[in-house]
Amino acid sequence: MAAEIHSRPQSSRPLVYVCVVLAYLLVPTIRVWLKRDSGQYWPSIYHTMSSPCSAMAYHHDSRRIFVGQDNGAIMEFHVSEDFNKMNFVKTYPAHQNRVSAIVFCLTSEWVISTGHDKCISWMCTRSGSMLGRHYFASWASCLQYDYETQHAFVGDYSGQITLLKLEQNTCSVITTLKGHEGSITSLWWDPVQRLLFSGASDHSIIMWDIGGRKGRTLLLQGHHDKVQAICYIQLTRQLVSCSADGGIAVWNMDISREEAPQWLESDSCQKCEQPFFWNIKQMWDTKTLGLRQHHCRKCGQAVCGKCSTKRSSYPIMGFEFQVRVCDSCFESIKDEDRTSLATFHEGKHNISHMSMDISRGLMVTCGSDRIVKIWDMTPVVGCSLATGFSSR
C-alpha cells in the first residue's frame, strides 16, 4: 500500500484525500475519499489498476495523479474540479520493475521516478517520451527533488544516498552520502534551510547539512524499527518520523545539537590499555587474554566491557534511549542532559507511509493492515499556517 495525501484549502467545500488502496481480492485500486458535511470520509470515485500500486504523487493545483505500479509503469490521471470524476491521461513506461517513488515537476513537465530496476528515470509529460536514465548498484528505494536547482536525492538499498543534477537528456553525479548501516527507506528535503533528512532500516535518522557544505551530520535514534516516513516542518523546526512498528516521533530541531563522534580504532582499550582479542603481540607480552572491543557513544573511544559498564540516554547527541558509554563519560552526563528532546506516540498500526498537511496540522498514516488514519497533530507540532506559529 502506498499513498500521498493532500487536502484542499480551508475555503473550498469538501476536504479531499487522495490515496492508493489495495482492495480485497488483491484488486489494485486508486480511490478518492471526500469529507462529507457529517465529518466522515466516504469513497467518491475509484479506478481499477492493471498491476498492484506501489507509489503515487498528486499535484494539487493541476489535480494530476501519477501512480507507480509493480510492473514498472506509471499511469497519469486527471481529477475533475468537483472531485467526482477521474480521467485516464496516459501511461509512462518508466521502469522494468516496481516503481518505488515519484515526483512531478510542473515547470519542466517532468515525471521523475525511481524503481527496483536500480535506476532513476525522468520522462516528459507532454510527449510521454523518456528523457534520461541513471543506474545504481542497488534498488533505488526513495526520492526527493529540488525544483529550483533540478537536483535529485536518491536513496538505495545499500544504505547510500546519491545526489544527481538532472538535465534535459543527461545527468551528473554530484556526490554520494554514506552514514547508514541499513537500506534507505525515506528521504525529506527542505529547500529553505537546505537540509536533507534520511531514515533507514537501521532504525536511525540522519540530518545532512547540504547547504552548510561542511559535511555536518546529526544522528537521531529513537525508533525500534525501520523508519518508514519523515517530514520536516520548517516553520516550527520539528521533524516528524514514523516507523514500521507504529511508532511516531516528533523531534525538536530548534536547538543546538551535537554531532555523534566518529568511532576510534585501537588495538587496546583506550581507558585501561588492556589488549583486544586480535592484539596477539600485547596479549603474549602481558600474558593476558584479549578483550572484546566496544565504543562509547559520547566520546567515540574504543573501550573494553569493564570500562563501559554504564548505559545512558544523551538526547543532545540524538540518543533518546540508553546506549553504551564509558564510565568517565557517564559521570560527566548530568540529569538535565538526559531530558528528552522528542515526544513519542503510538500509531497502533504498522505504518508503511505517512504524509502531512502542514497547513492544517493534519497527518495521515497508511498501514500494512489496509487502514488509513487521520491525525490531528496540532497539539504536538504547535503549527498551523491558518493561525500562524503557536508555542508548543
Coordinates of all heavy atoms in Angstrom, one line a residue, residues 149-228:
T149 N 16.8 23.9 -8.4 CA 18.1 23.6 -8.9 C 18.2 22.3 -9.7 O 19.2 22.0 -10.3 CB 19.1 23.5 -7.8 OG1 18.8 22.3 -6.9 CG2 19.1 24.7 -6.9
Q150 N 17.1 21.6 -9.8 CA 16.9 20.3 -10.5 C 17.9 19.2 -10.0 O 18.4 18.4 -10.8 CB 17.2 20.5 -12.0 CG 16.1 21.4 -12.7 CD 16.2 21.5 -14.2 OE1 17.3 21.5 -14.7 NE2 15.1 21.5 -14.9
H151 N 18.1 19.3 -8.7 CA 19.0 18.2 -8.1 C 18.0 17.1 -7.5 O 17.0 17.5 -6.9 CB 19.8 18.8 -6.9 CG 21.0 19.6 -7.4 ND1 21.0 20.9 -7.5 CD2 22.2 19.2 -7.9 CE1 22.2 21.4 -7.9 NE2 22.9 20.3 -8.2
A152 N 18.4 15.9 -7.7 CA 17.6 14.8 -7.2 C 18.5 14.0 -6.1 O 19.7 13.8 -6.3 CB 17.3 13.8 -8.3
F153 N 17.8 13.6 -5.1 CA 18.4 12.8 -4.0 C 17.8 11.4 -4.1 O 16.6 11.3 -4.0 CB 18.2 13.4 -2.6 CG 18.7 14.8 -2.5 CD1 17.9 15.9 -2.8 CD2 20.0 15.1 -2.0 CE1 18.4 17.2 -2.7 CE2 20.4 16.4 -1.8 CZ 19.6 17.4 -2.2
V154 N 18.6 10.4 -4.2 CA 18.1 9.1 -4.4 C 18.7 8.2 -3.3 O 20.0 8.0 -3.2 CB 18.4 8.5 -5.8 CG1 17.9 7.1 -5.9 CG2 17.9 9.4 -6.9
G155 N 17.9 7.5 -2.5 CA 18.3 6.6 -1.5 C 18.2 5.2 -2.1 O 17.3 4.9 -2.8
D156 N 19.1 4.3 -1.7 CA 19.1 2.9 -2.2 C 19.2 1.9 -1.1 O 19.4 2.2 0.0 CB 20.1 2.7 -3.3 CG 21.5 2.9 -2.9 OD1 21.9 2.4 -1.8 OD2 22.4 3.4 -3.6
Y157 N 19.1 0.6 -1.5 CA 19.1 -0.5 -0.6 C 20.5 -0.8 0.0 O 20.6 -1.5 1.0 CB 18.5 -1.7 -1.2 CG 17.0 -1.8 -1.1 CD1 16.2 -1.0 -1.8 CD2 16.4 -2.8 -0.2 CE1 14.8 -1.1 -1.6 CE2 15.1 -2.8 0.0 CZ 14.3 -2.0 -0.8 OH 12.9 -2.1 -0.6
S158 N 21.5 -0.2 -0.5 CA 22.9 -0.4 0.0 C 23.1 0.6 1.2 O 24.2 0.5 1.8 CB 23.9 -0.2 -1.1 OG 24.0 1.2 -1.4
G159 N 22.2 1.5 1.4 CA 22.4 2.5 2.5 C 23.1 3.8 2.0 O 23.5 4.6 2.8
Q160 N 23.1 4.0 0.7 CA 23.8 5.1 0.1 C 22.8 6.1 -0.4 O 21.7 5.7 -0.9 CB 24.8 4.6 -0.9 CG 25.6 5.7 -1.6 CD 26.6 5.1 -2.6 OE1 27.6 4.6 -2.2 NE2 26.3 5.2 -3.9
I161 N 23.1 7.4 -0.3 CA 22.3 8.4 -1.0 C 23.1 9.1 -2.0 O 24.2 9.5 -1.8 CB 21.8 9.5 0.1 CG1 21.1 8.8 1.2 CG2 21.0 10.5 -0.6 CD1 20.8 9.7 2.4
T162 N 22.6 9.2 -3.2 CA 23.3 9.8 -4.4 C 22.6 11.1 -4.7 O 21.4 11.2 -4.9 CB 23.2 8.9 -5.6 OG1 23.8 7.6 -5.2 CG2 24.1 9.4 -6.7
L163 N 23.4 12.1 -4.9 CA 22.9 13.5 -5.3 C 23.3 13.6 -6.8 O 24.4 13.6 -7.2 CB 23.6 14.6 -4.5 CG 23.4 16.0 -4.9 CD1 21.9 16.3 -5.0 CD2 24.1 17.0 -4.0
L164 N 22.2 13.9 -7.6 CA 22.3 14.0 -9.0 C 21.9 15.3 -9.5 O 20.9 15.9 -8.9 CB 21.5 12.9 -9.7 CG 21.8 11.4 -9.5 CD1 20.7 10.6 -9.9 CD2 23.1 11.0 -10.2
K165 N 22.5 15.9 -10.5 CA 22.0 17.0 -11.2 C 21.4 16.6 -12.5 O 22.0 16.0 -13.4 CB 23.2 18.0 -11.5 CG 22.8 19.1 -12.5 CD 21.9 20.1 -11.9 CE 21.7 21.4 -12.8 NZ 20.8 22.3 -12.3
L166 N 20.0 16.8 -12.7 CA 19.3 16.3 -13.8 C 19.3 17.4 -14.9 O 19.0 18.6 -14.6 CB 17.9 15.9 -13.5 CG 17.7 14.8 -12.4 CD1 16.3 14.4 -12.3 CD2 18.6 13.6 -12.7
E167 N 19.6 17.0 -16.1 CA 19.5 17.9 -17.3 C 18.4 17.3 -18.2 O 17.8 16.3 -18.0 CB 20.9 18.0 -18.0 CG 22.0 18.5 -17.1 CD 21.9 19.9 -16.7 OE1 21.0 20.7 -17.2 OE2 22.7 20.4 -15.9
Q168 N 18.2 18.0 -19.4 CA 17.2 17.6 -20.3 C 17.4 16.1 -20.8 O 16.4 15.4 -20.8 CB 17.2 18.5 -21.5 CG 16.1 18.3 -22.5 CD 14.7 18.6 -22.0 OE1 14.5 19.4 -21.1 NE2 13.7 17.9 -22.5
N169 N 18.6 15.8 -21.2 CA 18.8 14.4 -21.7 C 20.0 13.7 -21.0 O 20.4 12.7 -21.5 CB 19.1 14.5 -23.2 CG 17.9 15.0 -24.0 OD1 17.9 16.1 -24.5 ND2 16.8 14.2 -24.0
T170 N 20.5 14.3 -19.9 CA 21.6 13.7 -19.2 C 21.6 14.1 -17.8 O 20.7 14.8 -17.3 CB 23.0 14.1 -19.9 OG1 24.1 13.4 -19.2 CG2 23.2 15.6 -19.7
C171 N 22.5 13.5 -17.0 CA 22.6 13.9 -15.6 C 24.1 13.7 -15.2 O 24.9 13.0 -15.8 CB 21.7 13.0 -14.7 SG 22.2 11.3 -14.6
S172 N 24.4 14.3 -14.0 CA 25.8 14.1 -13.5 C 25.7 13.8 -12.0 O 24.8 14.4 -11.3 CB 26.6 15.4 -13.7 OG 25.9 16.5 -13.2
V173 N 26.6 13.0 -11.5 CA 26.6 12.6 -10.1 C 27.4 13.7 -9.4 O 28.6 13.9 -9.7 CB 27.2 11.2 -9.9 CG1 27.4 10.9 -8.4 CG2 26.4 10.2 -10.6
I174 N 26.8 14.4 -8.4 CA 27.5 15.4 -7.6 C 28.3 14.8 -6.5 O 29.4 15.1 -6.3 CB 26.5 16.4 -7.1 CG1 25.6 17.0 -8.2 CG2 27.2 17.6 -6.3 CD1 26.4 17.7 -9.3
T175 N 27.6 14.0 -5.7 CA 28.3 13.3 -4.6 C 27.4 12.2 -4.1 O 26.3 12.0 -4.5 CB 28.5 14.3 -3.4 OG1 29.3 13.8 -2.4 CG2 27.2 14.7 -2.8
T176 N 28.0 11.4 -3.2 CA 27.3 10.3 -2.5 C 27.4 10.5 -1.0 O 28.5 10.9 -0.5 CB 27.8 8.9 -2.9 OG1 29.2 8.8 -2.7 CG2 27.5 8.7 -4.4
L177 N 26.4 10.2 -0.3 CA 26.4 10.3 1.2 C 26.3 8.9 1.8 O 25.4 8.1 1.4 CB 25.2 11.2 1.6 CG 25.1 12.5 1.0 CD1 23.8 13.2 1.4 CD2 26.3 13.4 1.3
K178 N 27.2 8.6 2.7 CA 27.2 7.3 3.4 C 27.3 7.5 4.9 O 28.1 8.2 5.4 CB 28.4 6.5 2.9 CG 28.5 6.2 1.4 CD 29.7 5.5 1.0 CE 29.8 5.2 -0.5 NZ 31.0 4.5 -0.9
G179 N 26.3 6.9 5.6 CA 26.3 7.0 7.0 C 25.4 6.0 7.7 O 25.6 5.7 8.8
H180 N 24.4 5.4 6.9 CA 23.5 4.4 7.5 C 24.1 3.0 7.4 O 24.9 2.8 6.5 CB 22.2 4.5 6.7 CG 21.4 5.7 7.1 ND1 20.7 5.8 8.3 CD2 21.0 6.8 6.4 CE1 20.0 6.9 8.3 NE2 20.2 7.6 7.2
E181 N 23.7 2.2 8.3 CA 24.1 0.8 8.2 C 23.0 -0.1 7.7 O 23.2 -1.3 7.7 CB 24.5 0.3 9.6 CG 25.7 1.1 10.2 CD 26.0 0.6 11.6 OE1 25.3 -0.3 12.2 OE2 27.0 1.1 12.2
G182 N 22.0 0.5 7.2 CA 20.9 -0.3 6.5 C 20.4 0.4 5.3 O 20.8 1.5 5.0
S183 N 19.4 -0.2 4.6 CA 18.9 0.4 3.4 C 18.1 1.7 3.7 O 17.5 1.8 4.8 CB 17.9 -0.6 2.7 OG 16.9 -1.0 3.6
I184 N 18.2 2.7 2.8 CA 17.5 3.9 3.0 C 16.0 3.7 2.7 O 15.6 3.2 1.6 CB 18.0 5.0 2.0 CG1 19.5 5.1 2.1 CG2 17.4 6.4 2.3 CD1 20.0 5.5 3.5
T185 N 15.1 4.1 3.6 CA 13.7 3.8 3.5 C 12.9 5.1 3.3 O 11.8 5.0 2.8 CB 13.2 3.1 4.7 OG1 13.6 3.8 5.9 CG2 13.7 1.7 4.8
S186 N 13.5 6.3 3.6 CA 12.7 7.5 3.5 C 13.7 8.7 3.4 O 14.8 8.7 4.0 CB 11.7 7.7 4.6 OG 12.4 7.6 5.9
L187 N 13.3 9.7 2.6 CA 14.0 10.9 2.5 C 13.1 12.1 2.6 O 11.9 12.1 2.3 CB 14.8 11.0 1.1 CG 15.9 10.0 0.9 CD1 16.4 10.2 -0.6 CD2 17.1 10.3 1.8
W188 N 13.6 13.3 3.1 CA 12.9 14.5 3.1 C 13.9 15.7 2.9 O 14.9 15.8 3.5 CB 12.2 14.8 4.4 CG 11.4 16.0 4.4 CD1 11.7 17.3 4.7 CD2 10.0 16.1 3.9 NE1 10.7 18.2 4.5 CE2 9.6 17.5 4.0 CE3 9.0 15.2 3.5 CZ2 8.3 17.9 3.7 CZ3 7.8 15.6 3.2 CH2 7.4 17.0 3.3
W189 N 13.6 16.5 1.9 CA 14.5 17.6 1.5 C 13.8 18.9 1.9 O 12.6 19.2 1.5 CB 14.8 17.6 0.0 CG 15.4 18.8 -0.5 CD1 14.9 19.7 -1.4 CD2 16.8 19.3 -0.2 NE1 15.8 20.7 -1.7 CE2 17.0 20.5 -1.0 CE3 17.8 18.9 0.7 CZ2 18.2 21.2 -0.9 CZ3 18.9 19.6 0.7 CH2 19.1 20.8 0.0
D190 N 14.5 19.8 2.7 CA 14.0 21.1 3.0 C 14.8 22.1 2.2 O 16.0 22.4 2.5 CB 14.2 21.4 4.5 CG 13.8 22.8 4.8 OD1 12.7 23.3 4.3 OD2 14.5 23.5 5.6
P191 N 14.2 22.7 1.1 CA 14.9 23.6 0.3 C 15.2 25.0 0.9 O 16.1 25.7 0.4 CB 14.0 23.8 -0.9 CG 12.6 23.5 -0.4 CD 12.8 22.5 0.7
V192 N 14.5 25.3 2.0 CA 14.8 26.6 2.6 C 16.1 26.6 3.4 O 17.0 27.4 3.2 CB 13.6 27.0 3.5 CG1 13.8 28.3 4.3 CG2 12.3 27.1 2.7
Q193 N 16.2 25.6 4.3 CA 17.4 25.5 5.1 C 18.4 24.6 4.4 O 19.6 24.5 4.9 CB 17.1 24.9 6.5 CG 16.3 25.9 7.4 CD 16.1 25.4 8.8 OE1 15.1 24.7 9.1 NE2 17.1 25.7 9.7
R194 N 18.1 24.0 3.3 CA 18.9 23.1 2.6 C 19.4 22.0 3.4 O 20.6 21.7 3.5 CB 20.1 23.9 1.9 CG 19.5 25.0 1.0 CD 20.6 25.5 0.0 NE 20.9 24.5 -1.0 CZ 20.1 24.3 -2.1 NH1 19.0 24.9 -2.2 NH2 20.5 23.4 -3.0
L195 N 18.5 21.3 4.1 CA 18.8 20.2 4.9 C 18.1 18.9 4.3 O 17.0 19.0 3.8 CB 18.2 20.4 6.3 CG 18.7 21.6 7.1 CD1 17.9 21.7 8.4 CD2 20.2 21.4 7.4
L196 N 18.9 17.8 4.3 CA 18.3 16.5 3.9 C 18.2 15.6 5.1 O 19.2 15.5 5.8 CB 19.3 15.9 2.8 CG 18.8 14.5 2.3 CD1 17.6 14.6 1.5 CD2 20.0 13.9 1.5
F197 N 17.1 15.0 5.2 CA 16.8 14.0 6.3 C 16.6 12.6 5.7 O 15.9 12.5 4.7 CB 15.6 14.4 7.1 CG 15.7 15.7 7.9 CD1 15.3 16.9 7.3 CD2 16.2 15.7 9.2 CE1 15.4 18.1 7.9 CE2 16.3 16.9 9.9 CZ 15.9 18.1 9.2
S198 N 17.3 11.6 6.3 CA 17.2 10.3 5.7 C 16.8 9.3 6.9 O 17.4 9.4 8.0 CB 18.5 9.8 5.0 OG 19.6 9.9 5.9
G199 N 15.9 8.4 6.6 CA 15.5 7.4 7.5 C 15.9 6.0 6.9 O 15.9 5.9 5.7
A200 N 16.2 5.1 7.8 CA 16.8 3.8 7.2 C 16.3 2.6 8.0 O 15.7 2.7 9.1 CB 18.3 3.8 7.2
S201 N 16.6 1.4 7.5 CA 16.2 0.2 8.2 C 17.0 -0.1 9.4 O 16.8 -1.0 10.2 CB 16.3 -1.0 7.2 OG 17.6 -1.1 6.7
D202 N 18.1 0.7 9.7 CA 18.9 0.6 10.9 C 18.3 1.3 12.0 O 18.9 1.5 13.1 CB 20.3 1.1 10.6 CG 20.4 2.5 10.2 OD1 19.3 3.2 10.2 OD2 21.5 3.0 9.9
H203 N 17.0 1.8 11.9 CA 16.2 2.4 12.9 C 16.6 3.9 13.2 O 16.1 4.5 14.1 CB 16.2 1.7 14.2 CG 15.9 0.2 14.1 ND1 16.0 -0.7 15.2 CD2 15.5 -0.6 13.0 CE1 15.7 -1.9 14.8 NE2 15.4 -1.9 13.5
S204 N 17.5 4.4 12.4 CA 18.0 5.7 12.7 C 17.7 6.8 11.6 O 17.3 6.4 10.5 CB 19.6 5.7 12.8 OG 20.2 5.4 11.6
I205 N 17.8 8.0 12.0 CA 17.6 9.2 11.1 C 18.9 10.0 11.1 O 19.5 10.2 12.2 CB 16.4 10.0 11.5 CG1 15.1 9.2 11.6 CG2 16.3 11.3 10.6 CD1 14.0 9.9 12.3
I206 N 19.3 10.5 9.9 CA 20.5 11.3 9.8 C 20.0 12.6 9.2 O 19.3 12.6 8.2 CB 21.6 10.7 9.0 CG1 22.1 9.5 9.8 CG2 22.8 11.7 8.8 CD1 23.3 8.8 9.0
M207 N 20.4 13.7 9.8 CA 20.3 15.1 9.1 C 21.6 15.5 8.5 O 22.6 15.5 9.1 CB 19.9 16.1 10.2 CG 19.5 17.5 9.6 SD 19.7 18.9 10.7 CE 21.5 19.2 10.6
W208 N 21.5 15.7 7.2 CA 22.7 16.1 6.4 C 22.6 17.6 6.1 O 21.6 18.0 5.4 CB 22.8 15.3 5.1 CG 22.6 13.9 5.2 CD1 21.4 13.2 5.3 CD2 23.6 12.9 5.3 NE1 21.7 11.8 5.4 CE2 23.0 11.6 5.4 CE3 25.0 12.9 5.2 CZ2 23.7 10.4 5.5 CZ3 25.8 11.7 5.3 CH2 25.1 10.5 5.4
D209 N 23.6 18.4 6.5 CA 23.6 19.8 6.3 C 24.2 20.1 4.9 O 25.4 20.3 4.8 CB 24.4 20.5 7.4 CG 24.2 22.1 7.3 OD1 23.6 22.5 6.4 OD2 24.8 22.7 8.1
I210 N 23.3 20.0 3.9 CA 23.8 20.2 2.5 C 24.2 21.6 2.2 O 25.2 21.9 1.6 CB 22.7 19.7 1.5 CG1 22.3 18.3 1.8 CG2 23.2 19.9 0.1 CD1 23.4 17.3 1.6
G211 N 23.4 22.6 2.7 CA 23.7 24.0 2.5 C 24.9 24.5 3.2 O 25.6 25.4 2.7
G212 N 25.3 23.9 4.3 CA 26.5 24.3 5.1 C 27.8 24.0 4.4 O 28.8 24.6 4.7
R213 N 27.7 22.9 3.6 CA 28.9 22.4 2.9 C 30.1 22.1 3.8 O 31.2 22.2 3.4 CB 29.3 23.4 1.8 CG 28.2 23.7 0.8 CD 28.7 24.6 -0.4 NE 27.7 24.7 -1.4 CZ 27.9 25.4 -2.5 NH1 29.0 26.0 -2.7 NH2 26.9 25.6 -3.3
K214 N 29.8 21.7 5.0 CA 30.9 21.4 5.9 C 30.8 19.9 6.3 O 31.6 19.4 7.2 CB 30.9 22.2 7.2 CG 31.1 23.7 6.9 CD 31.1 24.5 8.2 CE 31.4 26.0 7.9 NZ 31.3 26.8 9.2
G215 N 29.9 19.2 5.7 CA 29.8 17.7 6.0 C 29.2 17.5 7.3 O 29.3 16.4 7.9
R216 N 28.5 18.4 7.9 CA 27.9 18.3 9.2 C 26.7 17.3 9.2 O 25.8 17.5 8.3 CB 27.4 19.6 9.8 CG 26.8 19.6 11.2 CD 26.7 21.0 11.7 NE 26.0 21.0 13.0 CZ 24.7 21.2 13.2 NH1 23.9 21.4 12.1 NH2 24.2 21.2 14.4
T217 N 26.7 16.4 10.1 CA 25.6 15.4 10.2 C 25.1 15.3 11.6 O 25.9 15.3 12.5 CB 26.0 14.0 9.6 OG1 27.1 13.5 10.4 CG2 26.4 14.1 8.2
L218 N 23.8 15.1 11.8 CA 23.3 14.8 13.1 C 22.6 13.5 13.1 O 21.8 13.2 12.2 CB 22.3 15.9 13.5 CG 22.9 17.3 13.7 CD1 21.8 18.3 14.1 CD2 24.0 17.3 14.8
L219 N 22.8 12.7 14.1 CA 22.2 11.3 14.2 C 21.0 11.4 15.2 O 21.2 12.0 16.3 CB 23.2 10.3 14.7 CG 22.8 8.9 14.9 CD1 22.4 8.2 13.6 CD2 23.9 8.1 15.6
L220 N 19.9 10.8 14.8 CA 18.7 10.7 15.7 C 18.3 9.2 15.8 O 18.1 8.6 14.8 CB 17.6 11.5 15.1 CG 17.8 13.0 14.8 CD1 16.6 13.6 14.1 CD2 18.1 13.8 16.1
Q221 N 18.3 8.8 17.1 CA 18.0 7.4 17.3 C 16.9 7.3 18.4 O 17.1 7.7 19.6 CB 19.2 6.6 17.8 CG 20.2 6.3 16.7 CD 21.3 5.3 17.1 OE1 21.5 5.0 18.3 NE2 22.0 4.8 16.1
G222 N 15.7 7.0 18.0 CA 14.6 6.9 18.9 C 13.5 5.9 18.5 O 12.5 5.7 19.2
H223 N 13.7 5.2 17.4 CA 12.8 4.2 16.9 C 13.3 2.8 17.2 O 14.6 2.6 17.3 CB 12.5 4.4 15.4 CG 11.7 5.6 15.1 ND1 10.3 5.6 15.3 CD2 12.0 6.8 14.5 CE1 9.8 6.8 15.0 NE2 10.8 7.5 14.5
H224 N 12.4 1.8 17.2 CA 12.8 0.5 17.4 C 12.6 -0.4 16.2 O 12.6 -1.6 16.3 CB 12.1 -0.1 18.6 CG 12.4 0.6 19.9 ND1 13.6 0.4 20.6 CD2 11.7 1.6 20.6 CE1 13.6 1.1 21.7 NE2 12.5 1.9 21.7
D225 N 12.2 0.2 15.1 CA 12.0 -0.5 13.8 C 12.4 0.5 12.7 O 12.8 1.6 13.0 CB 10.6 -0.9 13.7 CG 10.4 -2.2 12.8 OD1 11.3 -2.4 11.9 OD2 9.4 -2.9 12.9
K226 N 12.4 0.0 11.5 CA 12.9 0.8 10.4 C 12.0 2.1 10.2 O 10.8 2.0 10.4 CB 12.9 0.0 9.1 CG 11.5 -0.5 8.6 CD 11.7 -1.3 7.3 CE 10.4 -1.9 6.8 NZ 10.5 -2.7 5.6
V227 N 12.6 3.2 9.9 CA 11.9 4.5 9.7 C 11.3 4.5 8.4 O 12.0 4.5 7.3 CB 12.9 5.6 9.9 CG1 12.2 7.0 9.8 CG2 13.6 5.5 11.3
Q228 N 10.0 4.5 8.3 CA 9.2 4.4 7.1 C 9.0 5.8 6.4 O 8.9 5.9 5.2 CB 7.9 3.7 7.3 CG 8.0 2.3 7.7 CD 8.3 1.4 6.5 OE1 9.3 1.5 5.8 NE2 7.4 0.4 6.3

